[in-house]
């Protein structure tokens, strides 16, 4: 019974969408009907500006942190990973929002920092460098998650964590499949911080 409650709590925690609610509260819009149609940080930045995007990033990241903490506190390390994964799934496919959510990158970051913070910082630094060089947020997001998984494996991380990394990597690749196609085609949107700062 305890396990079932934990799993449901982690999934429904992921269902909470700050991008959706802030879109409704500040502009009376469904963020999923604007920009890229994604309920996440990058699209909020594109549609609503940098300040709200930072708030969305923090809230989505916190979902991953809380989900892992719940699993770890009530049931141990394996359940910590499972709850983290379910929070990402809940973010991506929220039943409360008719299964149309975000791409799970920020929530995945929260999970990564709770599972192995040292490796997460390395991956975040690499992702920032990729954004600076290419201005592709999607490429940086995918690379960061994949690198975290590889580093877990190379540093002989716990098997449960490595499997978590594999699952998160598959999710981030699947959710970014359209971005991958646009990167290959050369039509992917590039991040421009100066424009975002001017808008905010």
């Amino acid at each position: 019974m305890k396990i079932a409650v934990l799993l449901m709590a982690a999934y429904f925690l992921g269902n909470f969408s700050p991008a959706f609610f802030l879109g409704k509260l500040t502009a009376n819009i469904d963020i999923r009907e604007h920009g890229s149609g994604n309920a996440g940080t990058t699209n909020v930045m594109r549609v609503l500006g940098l300040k709200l995007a930072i708030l969305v990033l923090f809230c989505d990241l916190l979902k991953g942190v809380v989900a892992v903490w719940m699993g770890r506190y009530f049931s141990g390390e394996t359940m910590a990973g499972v709850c983290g994964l379910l929070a990402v799934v809940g973010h991506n496919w929220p039943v409360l929002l008719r299964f149309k959510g975000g791409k799970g990158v920020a929530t995945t970051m929260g999970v990564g920092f709770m599972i192995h913070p040292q490796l997460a910082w390395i991956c975040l630094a690499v992702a920032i460098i990729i954004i600076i060089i290419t201005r592709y947020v999607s490429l940086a997001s995918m690379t960061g998650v994949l690198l975290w998984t590889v580093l877990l494996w190379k540093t002989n991380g716990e098997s449960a964590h490595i499997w978590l990394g594999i699952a998160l990597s598959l999710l981030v690749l699947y959710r970014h499949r359209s971005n991958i196609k646009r990167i290959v085609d050369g039509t992917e949107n590039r991040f421009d911080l100066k424009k975002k700062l001017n808008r905010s």
Side-chain angles (χ1 to χ4, degrees), residues 32-59:
R32 301 170 301 170
E33 296 174 355
H34 298 266
S36 67
N38 180 56
T41 300
T42 304
N43 197 38
V44 169
M45 188 179 299
R46 183 182 296 118
V47 178
L48 300 174
L50 181 61
K51 292 178 182 178
L52 288 178
I54 292 173
L55 181 56
V56 168
L57 173 64
F58 175 78
C59 291

Side-chain angles (χ1 to χ4, degrees), residues 92-111:
N92 293 351
W93 297 282
V95 65
L96 299 180
L97 294 177
R98 299 183 180 179
F99 300 102
K100 188 178 180 183
K103 294 183 178 178
V105 175
T107 304
T108 297
M109 284 175 55
V111 173

